[in-house]
Amino acid sequence: LFFYIQIKMVDASIIKTVIELYSNLIEKPKMNEKFLNKPPPKFLFDVIISTMKVTNFPNGLYSNKELDSEWFNSDKQNRIEFLNKAIDITKIVNKTQLDVKVKNMLAGEEPSQTNTFLIAFHKAATSKQDFSKYISKYLDSLKKKEEDKKVIPPPSTLVEKEKEKEV
């Protein structure tokens, strides 16, 4: 019997681009093919944090708690939130779409898309724009989403209140 294993390899030119871009920007983590062929979540976290230390992008996007690697590593939902923020702000600053899904990034299933994100993140970080307006607007939209979740009572509560009014 033969078993077929599909390994999604990353285009060598994408890896070469990521290595060149980040090697000229940050010292750690070291960019190498091993990590870029299947970027581990902690590696992505370290790239984002190191880039922020050098470029200030996306400074202000994360709380102090979110900048802690222990918080990032402690829960899958934390990793999803952290990377979603990075992807969202990258799309906003670059005024572009990115075909990347966080859950696939975390599972190492779409390394080409993950590396494309890293290229876009680098572009945003080195664009010399005033990110603060984008970050502020984005954080406001997140707060509004949270407030909207709190304001709308569950449907059963609405029905009960309507019955109370009738009595």
Side-chain angles (χ1 to χ4, degrees), residues 99-156:
D99 181 28
V100 62
K101 296 171 186 74
V102 172
K103 289 184 180 182
N104 293 346
M105 282 175 78
L106 291 172
E109 293 176 358
E110 295 182 342
S112 289
Q113 286 84 350
T114 303
N115 280 282
T116 300
F117 158 71
L118 288 172
I119 291 168
F121 186 80
H122 182 279
K123 178 183 176 188
T126 58
S127 67
K128 304 207 187 302
Q129 295 186 55
D130 177 11
F131 319 119
S132 60
K133 61 184 177 187
Y134 297 117
I135 290 170
S136 175
K137 199 173 190 178
Y138 176 71
L139 290 175
D140 287 346
S141 74
L142 289 181
K143 285 179 190 171
K144 176 134 177 52
K145 284 180 187 176
E146 283 300 311
E147 289 169 4
D148 289 347
K149 286 180 187 177
K150 293 176 186 175
V151 171
I152 302 171
S156 60

Side-chain angles (χ1 to χ4, degrees), residues 56-105:
N56 283 330
F57 177 78
N59 200 21
L61 181 64
Y62 298 107
S63 67
N64 287 337
K65 176 182 75 174
E66 293 170 318
L67 296 173
D68 182 0
S69 64
E70 286 183 27
W71 174 86
F72 179 83
N73 291 324
S74 69
D75 183 63
K76 183 178 181 181
Q77 189 58 39
N78 293 350
R79 292 186 290 276
I80 290 170
E81 289 175 21
F82 182 91
L83 292 172
N84 268 331
K85 281 184 171 183
I87 292 166
D88 288 346
I89 202 65
T90 299
K91 292 191 295 191
I92 292 167
V93 170
N94 289 342
K95 298 177 177 78
T96 188
Q97 288 298 316
L98 286 171
D99 181 28
V100 62
K101 296 171 186 74
V102 172
K103 289 184 180 182
N104 293 346
M105 282 175 78

Side-chain angles (χ1 to χ4, degrees), residues 19-44:
I19 290 172
E20 287 174 5
L21 291 173
Y22 283 96
S23 294
N24 292 323
L25 184 67
I26 60 176
E27 291 182 26
K28 289 185 178 182
K30 290 287 183 204
M31 296 290 141
N32 64 49
E33 286 186 37
K34 176 186 171 193
F35 285 138
L36 294 171
N37 271 313
K38 189 174 180 181
K42 178 70 167 83
F43 175 79
L44 297 171

